[in-house]
């Protein structure tokens, strides 16, 4: 076993999920994530946690959803599982990242809507999502397998404490601010952030951060106005999507177009009311990620990028008792801010062309 | 996909587990059972059942159990899952049937003991165990893969209703009887069956039968006295076991030996008090199974065989409110009755050299 697989498992279990003796852990395993699953199982055994492994296969999902009449119910047993669980670790590892590409959009959305409580309950655990670097992800990234493994472990095996210290500077600015403005090619968007709390997403539940890798600072904006263009190519619901432009008025999408995948965006926007509002503004700060690989887990964390999500906001960004955008979806889209771009908080430029104010001293 | 995979899935879901719309189904998937799992997922979708797939990997089990300090706890989340489930379908499909061979016996037993409630709760669902014919099972059977697939589907894809009618004849004899005597080379054992109910194990929960394939009639004997030799080679807890002889007095094992694997038998007997008593007497009647393949699921159902299990008795054989042998284990061992053997119920010979009384008319 590549020693980095065991290091990945250790970061996931200890740094990310803070697993302790007696924790009831659900480990979701993709078909090609077997090797990492074995290393995680070993680590969970060492920690004295209780392990139940679930099987997350696109082939099963496709077969099940296509055969179903579409009138999906809540899974009471799945709900009971997550209600009793302390920790949920998802290690993605598809054999084919397009395995569910021919499931009709409305079927997926019906399934997602019926399972909203299941997802919410999972989010109430100490949950962490990661992926095992598979051949399918290498292919999606247009990279050789060995090179992709190097890429993935560079992103995952970081000095997370040191990155958390750096990200704290941006969190401080966002927490103190009322309004964010993002300007760039095809983009001029203002969003309110007053009263919202930014998350220093350092790949650990201790930081309200649930992705490994992470390395972003995100908050829950509202009252978006203006236009934004997402120029980073992506795969959304197994479909390629390119150059999406969204126009917002009073916080809601009023117009949209896309060079490719416009019908996917239409499906997303039609899910529910929350799917037409923003749930997240995130600023990528993981400079271990040096290229786009058509995987949201990595792309949205990359330095020199900013992303926005349609749909559900994360509770960690909201004041106690206040709800942000609620939706069955949370769909991220990314814009490259390395050139001709700036991010302002209350009229102060905090980032220009990917460089932060405290790195370069501009505007001081 | 081999059309027999879909037929197997249909038998499992419809005949065996009687799945209906709205059922909460847990589908346990072995790493090499993916193909059957996809076919089962499709069938569950058609039926409108709710699906949660779990991952049953010997590699994970080994890594987890070896790393653990051995002081295992009950998994509360796993218990909650099965308490809420209606149906549990296990489709075995190991890549290596010896994957857990180097987990110490006491570690396995400690894990099993801590998970007894989980297992009991699973047994309260409409549970069915089957296997996908894998290369590892072919190897264990000392057969080529394609030939093994033919063997497995011959055993699984039977006319179960017609076999159920035939097996009803033996059930009737056992239900009416008080004592069974099994005589053969190295074997002369009497067991009480008074008050116990035999199960016509026709591979369906509608018959209190939970294995696919099945094709046996079994009951829960007690007060065993005498000696029995199991001459069918087997793998128990990943270890080869051969020619085990057990000597019973007053229902309990008082002496034992084995040509091979004696320490495995010792481990089993040491589990708890119930592990030294019989939990099952089964008579194989599936003549689609034409050879021993070192897999208990198939071997114990073969025509011309009788098997006994140490440990736990099945509730279906017991009068309401009465408990039979209770144990964390249920370990089957098999004897070939094709030559020099007879099975008597209350001094009537019911089977001689594998042939039943109603087939041949002997003793009438």
């Amino acid at each position: 076993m590549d020693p980095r697989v065991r290091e990945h498992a250790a970061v996931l279990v200890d740094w990310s999920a803070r697993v302790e003796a007696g924790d009831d852990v659900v480990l979701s395993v993709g078909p090609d994530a077997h090797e990492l699953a074995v290393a995680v199982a070993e680590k969970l055994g060492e920690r004295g946690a209780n392990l139940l492994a679930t099987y997350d296969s696109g082939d099963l999902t496709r077969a099940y959803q296509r055969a179903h009449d579409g009138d999906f119910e809540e899974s009471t047993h799945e709900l009971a599982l997550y209600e009793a669980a302390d920790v949920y670790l998802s290690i993605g590892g598809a054999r084919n990242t397009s395995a569910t590409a021919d499931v009709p959009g409305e079927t997926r959305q019906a399934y997602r809507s019926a399972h909203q409580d299941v997802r919410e309950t999972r989010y109430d655990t100490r949950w962490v999502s990661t992926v095992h670097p598979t051949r399918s992800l290498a292919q999606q990234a247009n990279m050789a397998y060995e090179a992709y493994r190097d890429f993935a472990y560079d992103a995952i095996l970081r000095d997370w404490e040191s990155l958390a210290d750096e990200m704290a500077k941006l969190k401080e600015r966002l927490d103190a601010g009322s309004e964010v403005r993002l300007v760039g090619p095809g983009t001029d968007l203002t969003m309110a952030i007053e009263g919202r709390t930014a998350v220093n997403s350092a790949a650990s539940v201790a930081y309200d951060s649930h992705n490994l890798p992470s390395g972003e600072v995100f908050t829950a904006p509202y009252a978006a106005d203006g236009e934004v263009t997402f120029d980073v190519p992506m795969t959304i619901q197994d479909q390629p999507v390119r150059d999406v432009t969204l126009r917002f008025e009073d916080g809601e999408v009023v117009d949209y177009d896309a060079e490719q995948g416009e019908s996917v965006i239409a499906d997303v926007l039609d899910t529910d009311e929350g799917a037409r509002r923003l749930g997240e503004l995130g600023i990528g700060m993981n400079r271990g990620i040096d290229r786009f690989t058509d995987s949201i887990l990595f792309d949205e964390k990359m330095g020199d990028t900013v992303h926005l999500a349609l749909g559900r906001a994360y509770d960690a960004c909201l004041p106690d008792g206040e709800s942000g955008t609620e939706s069955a979806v949370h769909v991220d889209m990314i814009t490259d801010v390395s050139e001709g771009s700036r991010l302002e908080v209350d009229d102060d430029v905090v980032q220009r062309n990917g460089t932060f104010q405290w790195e370069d001293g501009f505007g001081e």
Side-chain angles (χ1 to χ4, degrees), chain A residues 98-126:
Chain A
S98 300
T100 62
D102 60 357
V103 178
E106 62 184 4
T107 305
R108 293 159 190 259
Q109 293 303 346
Y111 183 86
R112 281 189 66 81
S113 296
H115 285 71
Q116 181 148 2
D117 280 356
V118 168
R119 273 197 316 286
E120 298 287 341
T121 307
R122 217 151 57 190
Y123 290 140
D124 285 340
T125 68
R126 303 204 304 278

PDB file of all heavy atoms in Angstrom, chain A residues 98-126:
ATOM      1  N   SER A  98     -19.370   9.094 -14.699  1.00  0.00           N
ATOM      2  CA  SER A  98     -20.627   9.354 -15.413  1.00  0.00           C
ATOM      3  C   SER A  98     -21.633   8.217 -15.238  1.00  0.00           C
ATOM      4  O   SER A  98     -22.568   8.071 -16.032  1.00  0.00           O
ATOM      5  CB  SER A  98     -20.352   9.555 -16.909  1.00  0.00           C
ATOM      6  OG  SER A  98     -19.483  10.637 -17.113  1.00  0.00           O
ATOM      7  N   ALA A  99     -21.462   7.418 -14.187  1.00  0.00           N
ATOM      8  CA  ALA A  99     -22.270   6.198 -14.035  1.00  0.00           C
ATOM      9  C   ALA A  99     -23.768   6.465 -13.992  1.00  0.00           C
ATOM     10  O   ALA A  99     -24.562   5.598 -14.374  1.00  0.00           O
ATOM     11  CB  ALA A  99     -21.848   5.434 -12.775  1.00  0.00           C
ATOM     12  N   THR A 100     -24.176   7.623 -13.545  1.00  0.00           N
ATOM     13  CA  THR A 100     -25.617   7.894 -13.437  1.00  0.00           C
ATOM     14  C   THR A 100     -26.084   8.910 -14.477  1.00  0.00           C
ATOM     15  O   THR A 100     -27.137   9.531 -14.323  1.00  0.00           O
ATOM     16  CB  THR A 100     -25.965   8.419 -12.022  1.00  0.00           C
ATOM     17  OG1 THR A 100     -25.261   9.653 -11.811  1.00  0.00           O
ATOM     18  CG2 THR A 100     -25.561   7.435 -10.942  1.00  0.00           C
ATOM     19  N   ALA A 101     -25.283   9.054 -15.561  1.00  0.00           N
ATOM     20  CA  ALA A 101     -25.556  10.125 -16.534  1.00  0.00           C
ATOM     21  C   ALA A 101     -26.906   9.984 -17.236  1.00  0.00           C
ATOM     22  O   ALA A 101     -27.462  10.971 -17.703  1.00  0.00           O
ATOM     23  CB  ALA A 101     -24.433  10.186 -17.573  1.00  0.00           C
ATOM     24  N   ASP A 102     -27.447   8.774 -17.332  1.00  0.00           N
ATOM     25  CA  ASP A 102     -28.724   8.613 -18.034  1.00  0.00           C
ATOM     26  C   ASP A 102     -29.912   8.452 -17.086  1.00  0.00           C
ATOM     27  O   ASP A 102     -30.964   7.947 -17.485  1.00  0.00           O
ATOM     28  CB  ASP A 102     -28.657   7.472 -19.059  1.00  0.00           C
ATOM     29  CG  ASP A 102     -28.344   6.121 -18.438  1.00  0.00           C
ATOM     30  OD1 ASP A 102     -28.115   6.064 -17.208  1.00  0.00           O
ATOM     31  OD2 ASP A 102     -28.326   5.116 -19.174  1.00  0.00           O
ATOM     32  N   VAL A 103     -29.742   8.892 -15.840  1.00  0.00           N
ATOM     33  CA  VAL A 103     -30.907   8.996 -14.949  1.00  0.00           C
ATOM     34  C   VAL A 103     -31.550  10.351 -15.206  1.00  0.00           C
ATOM     35  O   VAL A 103     -30.877  11.376 -15.116  1.00  0.00           O
ATOM     36  CB  VAL A 103     -30.490   8.890 -13.468  1.00  0.00           C
ATOM     37  CG1 VAL A 103     -31.703   9.036 -12.558  1.00  0.00           C
ATOM     38  CG2 VAL A 103     -29.760   7.582 -13.201  1.00  0.00           C
ATOM     39  N   PRO A 104     -32.849  10.375 -15.546  1.00  0.00           N
ATOM     40  CA  PRO A 104     -33.484  11.665 -15.852  1.00  0.00           C
ATOM     41  C   PRO A 104     -33.354  12.641 -14.681  1.00  0.00           C
ATOM     42  O   PRO A 104     -33.436  12.241 -13.512  1.00  0.00           O
ATOM     43  CB  PRO A 104     -34.953  11.283 -16.075  1.00  0.00           C
ATOM     44  CG  PRO A 104     -34.941   9.828 -16.429  1.00  0.00           C
ATOM     45  CD  PRO A 104     -33.783   9.237 -15.690  1.00  0.00           C
ATOM     46  N   GLY A 105     -33.145  13.912 -15.017  1.00  0.00           N
ATOM     47  CA  GLY A 105     -32.969  14.943 -13.994  1.00  0.00           C
ATOM     48  C   GLY A 105     -34.109  14.984 -12.992  1.00  0.00           C
ATOM     49  O   GLY A 105     -33.891  15.131 -11.796  1.00  0.00           O
ATOM     50  N   GLU A 106     -35.330  14.786 -13.479  1.00  0.00           N
ATOM     51  CA  GLU A 106     -36.458  14.888 -12.545  1.00  0.00           C
ATOM     52  C   GLU A 106     -36.474  13.707 -11.574  1.00  0.00           C
ATOM     53  O   GLU A 106     -36.907  13.840 -10.431  1.00  0.00           O
ATOM     54  CB  GLU A 106     -37.795  15.004 -13.291  1.00  0.00           C
ATOM     55  CG  GLU A 106     -38.132  13.808 -14.145  1.00  0.00           C
ATOM     56  CD  GLU A 106     -39.424  14.022 -14.949  1.00  0.00           C
ATOM     57  OE1 GLU A 106     -39.985  15.134 -14.865  1.00  0.00           O
ATOM     58  OE2 GLU A 106     -39.846  13.086 -15.644  1.00  0.00           O
ATOM     59  N   THR A 107     -35.973  12.546 -12.034  1.00  0.00           N
ATOM     60  CA  THR A 107     -35.886  11.385 -11.140  1.00  0.00           C
ATOM     61  C   THR A 107     -34.879  11.652 -10.024  1.00  0.00           C
ATOM     62  O   THR A 107     -35.141  11.391  -8.849  1.00  0.00           O
ATOM     63  CB  THR A 107     -35.459  10.135 -11.940  1.00  0.00           C
ATOM     64  OG1 THR A 107     -36.365   9.949 -13.021  1.00  0.00           O
ATOM     65  CG2 THR A 107     -35.451   8.894 -11.063  1.00  0.00           C
ATOM     66  N   ARG A 108     -33.700  12.178 -10.407  1.00  0.00           N
ATOM     67  CA  ARG A 108     -32.693  12.522  -9.389  1.00  0.00           C
ATOM     68  C   ARG A 108     -33.246  13.497  -8.371  1.00  0.00           C
ATOM     69  O   ARG A 108     -33.033  13.370  -7.178  1.00  0.00           O
ATOM     70  CB  ARG A 108     -31.512  13.268 -10.015  1.00  0.00           C
ATOM     71  CG  ARG A 108     -30.683  12.506 -10.941  1.00  0.00           C
ATOM     72  CD  ARG A 108     -29.961  13.542 -11.815  1.00  0.00           C
ATOM     73  NE  ARG A 108     -29.303  12.883 -12.903  1.00  0.00           N
ATOM     74  CZ  ARG A 108     -28.010  12.616 -12.915  1.00  0.00           C
ATOM     75  NH1 ARG A 108     -27.250  12.998 -11.931  1.00  0.00           N
ATOM     76  NH2 ARG A 108     -27.472  11.984 -13.924  1.00  0.00           N
ATOM     77  N   GLN A 109     -33.924  14.531  -8.895  1.00  0.00           N
ATOM     78  CA  GLN A 109     -34.423  15.572  -7.991  1.00  0.00           C
ATOM     79  C   GLN A 109     -35.507  15.008  -7.074  1.00  0.00           C
ATOM     80  O   GLN A 109     -35.564  15.351  -5.893  1.00  0.00           O
ATOM     81  CB  GLN A 109     -34.953  16.778  -8.781  1.00  0.00           C
ATOM     82  CG  GLN A 109     -33.889  17.561  -9.536  1.00  0.00           C
ATOM     83  CD  GLN A 109     -32.748  18.078  -8.636  1.00  0.00           C
ATOM     84  OE1 GLN A 109     -32.845  18.082  -7.421  1.00  0.00           O
ATOM     85  NE2 GLN A 109     -31.657  18.493  -9.254  1.00  0.00           N
ATOM     86  N   ALA A 110     -36.343  14.118  -7.609  1.00  0.00           N
ATOM     87  CA  ALA A 110     -37.387  13.504  -6.778  1.00  0.00           C
ATOM     88  C   ALA A 110     -36.745  12.674  -5.670  1.00  0.00           C
ATOM     89  O   ALA A 110     -37.177  12.701  -4.509  1.00  0.00           O
ATOM     90  CB  ALA A 110     -38.300  12.628  -7.638  1.00  0.00           C
ATOM     91  N   TYR A 111     -35.682  11.937  -6.030  1.00  0.00           N
ATOM     92  CA  TYR A 111     -34.978  11.130  -5.026  1.00  0.00           C
ATOM     93  C   TYR A 111     -34.355  12.034  -3.960  1.00  0.00           C
ATOM     94  O   TYR A 111     -34.490  11.796  -2.764  1.00  0.00           O
ATOM     95  CB  TYR A 111     -33.901  10.272  -5.702  1.00  0.00           C
ATOM     96  CG  TYR A 111     -33.185   9.360  -4.732  1.00  0.00           C
ATOM     97  CD1 TYR A 111     -33.694   8.102  -4.418  1.00  0.00           C
ATOM     98  CD2 TYR A 111     -32.012   9.772  -4.104  1.00  0.00           C
ATOM     99  CE1 TYR A 111     -33.056   7.278  -3.520  1.00  0.00           C
ATOM    100  CE2 TYR A 111     -31.369   8.952  -3.197  1.00  0.00           C
ATOM    101  CZ  TYR A 111     -31.882   7.710  -2.912  1.00  0.00           C
ATOM    102  OH  TYR A 111     -31.251   6.908  -2.002  1.00  0.00           O
ATOM    103  N   ARG A 112     -33.682  13.092  -4.431  1.00  0.00           N
ATOM    104  CA  ARG A 112     -33.034  14.012  -3.498  1.00  0.00           C
ATOM    105  C   ARG A 112     -34.056  14.654  -2.560  1.00  0.00           C
ATOM    106  O   ARG A 112     -33.816  14.777  -1.360  1.00  0.00           O
ATOM    107  CB  ARG A 112     -32.297  15.129  -4.251  1.00  0.00           C
ATOM    108  CG  ARG A 112     -30.952  14.732  -4.816  1.00  0.00           C
ATOM    109  CD  ARG A 112     -30.199  15.958  -5.353  1.00  0.00           C
ATOM    110  NE  ARG A 112     -29.832  16.877  -4.297  1.00  0.00           N
ATOM    111  CZ  ARG A 112     -28.777  16.733  -3.510  1.00  0.00           C
ATOM    112  NH1 ARG A 112     -27.971  15.698  -3.664  1.00  0.00           N
ATOM    113  NH2 ARG A 112     -28.512  17.612  -2.571  1.00  0.00           N
ATOM    114  N   SER A 113     -35.184  15.056  -3.113  1.00  0.00           N
ATOM    115  CA  SER A 113     -36.202  15.709  -2.281  1.00  0.00           C
ATOM    116  C   SER A 113     -36.731  14.744  -1.222  1.00  0.00           C
ATOM    117  O   SER A 113     -36.896  15.111  -0.066  1.00  0.00           O
ATOM    118  CB  SER A 113     -37.344  16.238  -3.152  1.00  0.00           C
ATOM    119  OG  SER A 113     -36.856  17.245  -4.019  1.00  0.00           O
ATOM    120  N   ALA A 114     -36.971  13.492  -1.625  1.00  0.00           N
ATOM    121  CA  ALA A 114     -37.489  12.506  -0.667  1.00  0.00           C
ATOM    122  C   ALA A 114     -36.466  12.198   0.428  1.00  0.00           C
ATOM    123  O   ALA A 114     -36.834  11.787   1.525  1.00  0.00           O
ATOM    124  CB  ALA A 114     -37.879  11.223  -1.392  1.00  0.00           C
ATOM    125  N   HIS A 115     -35.169  12.389   0.100  1.00  0.00           N
ATOM    126  CA  HIS A 115     -34.122  12.044   1.069  1.00  0.00           C
ATOM    127  C   HIS A 115     -33.544  13.261   1.780  1.00  0.00           C
ATOM    128  O   HIS A 115     -32.479  13.180   2.373  1.00  0.00           O
ATOM    129  CB  HIS A 115     -33.008  11.250   0.378  1.00  0.00           C
ATOM    130  CG  HIS A 115     -33.419   9.839   0.096  1.00  0.00           C
ATOM    131  ND1 HIS A 115     -34.340   9.526  -0.859  1.00  0.00           N
ATOM    132  CD2 HIS A 115     -33.072   8.669   0.678  1.00  0.00           C
ATOM    133  CE1 HIS A 115     -34.537   8.218  -0.870  1.00  0.00           C
ATOM    134  NE2 HIS A 115     -33.784   7.681   0.055  1.00  0.00           N
ATOM    135  N   GLN A 116     -34.262  14.375   1.731  1.00  0.00           N
ATOM    136  CA  GLN A 116     -33.729  15.583   2.356  1.00  0.00           C
ATOM    137  C   GLN A 116     -33.483  15.391   3.863  1.00  0.00           C
ATOM    138  O   GLN A 116     -32.423  15.767   4.377  1.00  0.00           O
ATOM    139  CB  GLN A 116     -34.696  16.754   2.127  1.00  0.00           C
ATOM    140  CG  GLN A 116     -34.169  18.046   2.738  1.00  0.00           C
ATOM    141  CD  GLN A 116     -34.595  19.282   1.962  1.00  0.00           C
ATOM    142  OE1 GLN A 116     -35.323  19.178   0.963  1.00  0.00           O
ATOM    143  NE2 GLN A 116     -34.140  20.427   2.398  1.00  0.00           N
ATOM    144  N   ASP A 117     -34.429  14.750   4.563  1.00  0.00           N
ATOM    145  CA  ASP A 117     -34.238  14.536   6.004  1.00  0.00           C
ATOM    146  C   ASP A 117     -33.042  13.637   6.282  1.00  0.00           C
ATOM    147  O   ASP A 117     -32.326  13.827   7.263  1.00  0.00           O
ATOM    148  CB  ASP A 117     -35.489  13.897   6.626  1.00  0.00           C
ATOM    149  CG  ASP A 117     -36.578  14.931   6.877  1.00  0.00           C
ATOM    150  OD1 ASP A 117     -36.327  16.130   6.636  1.00  0.00           O
ATOM    151  OD2 ASP A 117     -37.674  14.531   7.302  1.00  0.00           O
ATOM    152  N   VAL A 118     -32.854  12.642   5.414  1.00  0.00           N
ATOM    153  CA  VAL A 118     -31.703  11.756   5.572  1.00  0.00           C
ATOM    154  C   VAL A 118     -30.416  12.574   5.482  1.00  0.00           C
ATOM    155  O   VAL A 118     -29.508  12.438   6.311  1.00  0.00           O
ATOM    156  CB  VAL A 118     -31.711  10.646   4.494  1.00  0.00           C
ATOM    157  CG1 VAL A 118     -30.382   9.898   4.452  1.00  0.00           C
ATOM    158  CG2 VAL A 118     -32.869   9.679   4.730  1.00  0.00           C
ATOM    159  N   ARG A 119     -30.362  13.455   4.482  1.00  0.00           N
ATOM    160  CA  ARG A 119     -29.157  14.286   4.318  1.00  0.00           C
ATOM    161  C   ARG A 119     -28.958  15.235   5.491  1.00  0.00           C
ATOM    162  O   ARG A 119     -27.864  15.370   6.019  1.00  0.00           O
ATOM    163  CB  ARG A 119     -29.223  15.085   3.021  1.00  0.00           C
ATOM    164  CG  ARG A 119     -28.700  14.344   1.817  1.00  0.00           C
ATOM    165  CD  ARG A 119     -28.412  15.290   0.664  1.00  0.00           C
ATOM    166  NE  ARG A 119     -29.481  16.258   0.487  1.00  0.00           N
ATOM    167  CZ  ARG A 119     -30.671  15.979  -0.026  1.00  0.00           C
ATOM    168  NH1 ARG A 119     -30.959  14.760  -0.434  1.00  0.00           N
ATOM    169  NH2 ARG A 119     -31.587  16.914  -0.142  1.00  0.00           N
ATOM    170  N   GLU A 120     -30.042  15.867   5.925  1.00  0.00           N
ATOM    171  CA  GLU A 120     -29.930  16.808   7.046  1.00  0.00           C
ATOM    172  C   GLU A 120     -29.422  16.078   8.297  1.00  0.00           C
ATOM    173  O   GLU A 120     -28.612  16.606   9.046  1.00  0.00           O
ATOM    174  CB  GLU A 120     -31.298  17.449   7.351  1.00  0.00           C
ATOM    175  CG  GLU A 120     -31.887  18.266   6.214  1.00  0.00           C
ATOM    176  CD  GLU A 120     -31.188  19.603   5.986  1.00  0.00           C
ATOM    177  OE1 GLU A 120     -30.495  20.073   6.902  1.00  0.00           O
ATOM    178  OE2 GLU A 120     -31.322  20.151   4.874  1.00  0.00           O
ATOM    179  N   THR A 121     -29.936  14.868   8.494  1.00  0.00           N
ATOM    180  CA  THR A 121     -29.533  14.103   9.672  1.00  0.00           C
ATOM    181  C   THR A 121     -28.052  13.739   9.585  1.00  0.00           C
ATOM    182  O   THR A 121     -27.320  13.758  10.576  1.00  0.00           O
ATOM    183  CB  THR A 121     -30.399  12.826   9.778  1.00  0.00           C
ATOM    184  OG1 THR A 121     -31.765  13.214   9.727  1.00  0.00           O
ATOM    185  CG2 THR A 121     -30.132  12.094  11.075  1.00  0.00           C
ATOM    186  N   ARG A 122     -27.604  13.428   8.375  1.00  0.00           N
ATOM    187  CA  ARG A 122     -26.185  13.130   8.161  1.00  0.00           C
ATOM    188  C   ARG A 122     -25.347  14.369   8.469  1.00  0.00           C
ATOM    189  O   ARG A 122     -24.268  14.258   9.047  1.00  0.00           O
ATOM    190  CB  ARG A 122     -26.010  12.724   6.694  1.00  0.00           C
ATOM    191  CG  ARG A 122     -25.016  11.658   6.474  1.00  0.00           C
ATOM    192  CD  ARG A 122     -25.364  10.840   5.246  1.00  0.00           C
ATOM    193  NE  ARG A 122     -25.472  11.617   4.028  1.00  0.00           N
ATOM    194  CZ  ARG A 122     -25.947  11.135   2.882  1.00  0.00           C
ATOM    195  NH1 ARG A 122     -26.348   9.875   2.802  1.00  0.00           N
ATOM    196  NH2 ARG A 122     -26.008  11.879   1.825  1.00  0.00           N
ATOM    197  N   TYR A 123     -25.854  15.542   8.083  1.00  0.00           N
ATOM    198  CA  TYR A 123     -25.123  16.787   8.336  1.00  0.00           C
ATOM    199  C   TYR A 123     -25.080  17.119   9.832  1.00  0.00           C
ATOM    200  O   TYR A 123     -24.310  17.978  10.235  1.00  0.00           O
ATOM    201  CB  TYR A 123     -25.758  17.964   7.575  1.00  0.00           C
ATOM    202  CG  TYR A 123     -25.592  17.918   6.071  1.00  0.00           C
ATOM    203  CD1 TYR A 123     -26.627  18.292   5.224  1.00  0.00           C
ATOM    204  CD2 TYR A 123     -24.378  17.507   5.490  1.00  0.00           C
ATOM    205  CE1 TYR A 123     -26.484  18.263   3.840  1.00  0.00           C
ATOM    206  CE2 TYR A 123     -24.235  17.471   4.109  1.00  0.00           C
ATOM    207  CZ  TYR A 123     -25.280  17.846   3.294  1.00  0.00           C
ATOM    208  OH  TYR A 123     -25.134  17.816   1.932  1.00  0.00           O
ATOM    209  N   ASP A 124     -25.932  16.472  10.625  1.00  0.00           N
ATOM    210  CA  ASP A 124     -25.877  16.699  12.072  1.00  0.00           C
ATOM    211  C   ASP A 124     -24.797  15.865  12.745  1.00  0.00           C
ATOM    212  O   ASP A 124     -24.556  16.015  13.940  1.00  0.00           O
ATOM    213  CB  ASP A 124     -27.239  16.368  12.712  1.00  0.00           C
ATOM    214  CG  ASP A 124     -28.270  17.449  12.424  1.00  0.00           C
ATOM    215  OD1 ASP A 124     -27.862  18.583  12.091  1.00  0.00           O
ATOM    216  OD2 ASP A 124     -29.474  17.164  12.527  1.00  0.00           O
ATOM    217  N   THR A 125     -24.175  14.951  11.988  1.00  0.00           N
ATOM    218  CA  THR A 125     -23.059  14.184  12.540  1.00  0.00           C
ATOM    219  C   THR A 125     -21.753  14.946  12.272  1.00  0.00           C
ATOM    220  O   THR A 125     -21.756  15.971  11.602  1.00  0.00           O
ATOM    221  CB  THR A 125     -22.937  12.798  11.874  1.00  0.00           C
ATOM    222  OG1 THR A 125     -22.540  12.977  10.502  1.00  0.00           O
ATOM    223  CG2 THR A 125     -24.259  12.033  11.912  1.00  0.00           C
ATOM    224  N   ARG A 126     -20.655  14.417  12.787  1.00  0.00           N
ATOM    225  CA  ARG A 126     -19.347  14.956  12.418  1.00  0.00           C
ATOM    226  C   ARG A 126     -18.993  14.339  11.053  1.00  0.00           C
ATOM    227  O   ARG A 126     -18.270  13.349  10.974  1.00  0.00           O
ATOM    228  CB  ARG A 126     -18.301  14.583  13.473  1.00  0.00           C
ATOM    229  CG  ARG A 126     -18.711  15.066  14.873  1.00  0.00           C
ATOM    230  CD  ARG A 126     -17.542  15.254  15.809  1.00  0.00           C
ATOM    231  NE  ARG A 126     -16.718  14.086  15.978  1.00  0.00           N
ATOM    232  CZ  ARG A 126     -17.004  13.077  16.805  1.00  0.00           C
ATOM    233  NH1 ARG A 126     -18.101  13.094  17.531  1.00  0.00           N
ATOM    234  NH2 ARG A 126     -16.180  12.060  16.916  1.00  0.00           N
TER     235      ARG A 126
END
